[in-house]
Amino acid sequence: MSNILLNVSIALLAGLLMTRVFSKLKLPDVTAYLIAGVLIGPYCIGAFGIQGLGFTTMHEVETLNLISKVALGFIAFSIGNEFRLDDLKKIGKQAFAIGIFQALAATLCVDLALLAMHFIMPDKLTLPQVIVLGAIATATAPAATLMVVRQYKAKGPLTDLLLPIVALDDAVGLIVFAVSFGIAKTLVSGTVDFVSILINPLVEIAMSLLLGAVMGWVLTQLEKLFHSNTNRLNMTIAFVFLTVSLSMISFSVGPVHVGFSSLLVCMMLGTVFCNTCDLSEDLMEAADKWTSPLFALFFVISGAELELNVFTDWAIVVIGLVYIVFRCVGKYTGTFISAKATKCAPQICKYLGITLFPQAGVALGMCATAMQLGEQGNLIRNITLFAVLIYEIVGPLMTREALTAAGDIRPKSADVINRRANKLAAVGSDEAAEAAALAAEEAANQAKEWAEIEARKENRDNKRK
């Protein structure tokens, strides 16, 4: 138990300290947390075997998996709170069309690219592996996207459309993966199982949405028993914990396997809660502060879980790079075409696809299922790990840049920066001078950056005219 507490504290401290280093490089906190996790993981500092400096074995990382599951539950709950009916009436059709089309486009692009690789190196990449990797390409990382949106307080048309699409990715990905995995199992074993291919994924999605809806309604009714926002917040947090635990239950009814997707269940919990509870906005704002260290831990643990030994096999690196490039091509072109077709604004058509590049938790869950293919599952897992490592480090930065270019992330106003400088100035005279200089420099850089973005937009508008 003491080792677990020590690892939790080391992980959290490492992540927080790394954000100070990365803030000077103007990189998102998510990237800092992931790099911190890699550094204190079993393949870097942890490899020296010194307790208190990092995770010495992968088993130590796995002991903190419960934290990751709870964090994903809260992330899904937060995204579910973006599904407010008033907003969905405006963007629901666009989000639905783009969410489905871009996921299928990513699968198609990866399938075609890896199919070509299969013919080039059939001894390294089999047809079942091609089909499963194409399905995994649908998944997007809701956690990384939400963290970037929160850190930079992104707000605007692109952000409003992004979060529902990221949530929809989970449902689409589950169906595509279940069907593709069923086909892959048929190719490996030679026996067709229609229940696994069609019935099980539909049952999982339906049961997940039902459980989440029931839990959301019950939570809203229980909130009415309390008059203090503190107690209401405690009730909300307890219910997310309870919902995550219930979503881990699975059982069979005859040949049909009944399971739940914790992401879908918690998203539905958040959706019903935000549309039935009048105080949901205030409670979510309070919950965001409570969950901040939990999310930091989640990303540090995710970084520590990344296995760097995947770089030792040239075939994995080559296939992984093809997977990464063509998944990005599919995500971007699928988003661009569907956004154009649904008459989205030009900046959404241009930048939305870039924000869908990050990939992590859902994909890792899929590749864990793919291990049922035996030896063929090992390659799928390693390629997914390789892709996640690249996506999670580069993806948040690209998401931030896309949101900034689209105008959803705006630079801090001079008033905000000056207030911060005045607070720092109260510390002492030397610090005051340094704070004022840094504030002035930051304000000037941000003003210049924003002016350049506005100028580029104006030039594009003039050219169209």
Side-chain angles (χ1 to χ4, degrees), residues 308-339:
L308 303 185
N309 58 2
V310 296
F311 290 104
T312 58
D313 189 337
W314 69 269
I316 290 175
V317 173
V318 172
I319 298 169
L321 289 174
V322 171
Y323 171 88
I324 290 168
V325 170
F326 281 89
R327 178 180 172 274
C328 290
V329 170
K331 286 283 182 184
Y332 187 84
T333 55
T335 302
F336 186 87
I337 292 170
S338 53

Side-chain angles (χ1 to χ4, degrees), residues 201-223:
L202 293 176
V203 168
E204 180 174 338
I205 291 171
M207 293 298 292
S208 297
L209 295 178
L210 178 62
L211 176 60
V214 170
M215 295 297 288
W217 181 83
V218 173
L219 173 59
T220 301
Q221 302 312 308
L222 291 177
E223 295 281 9

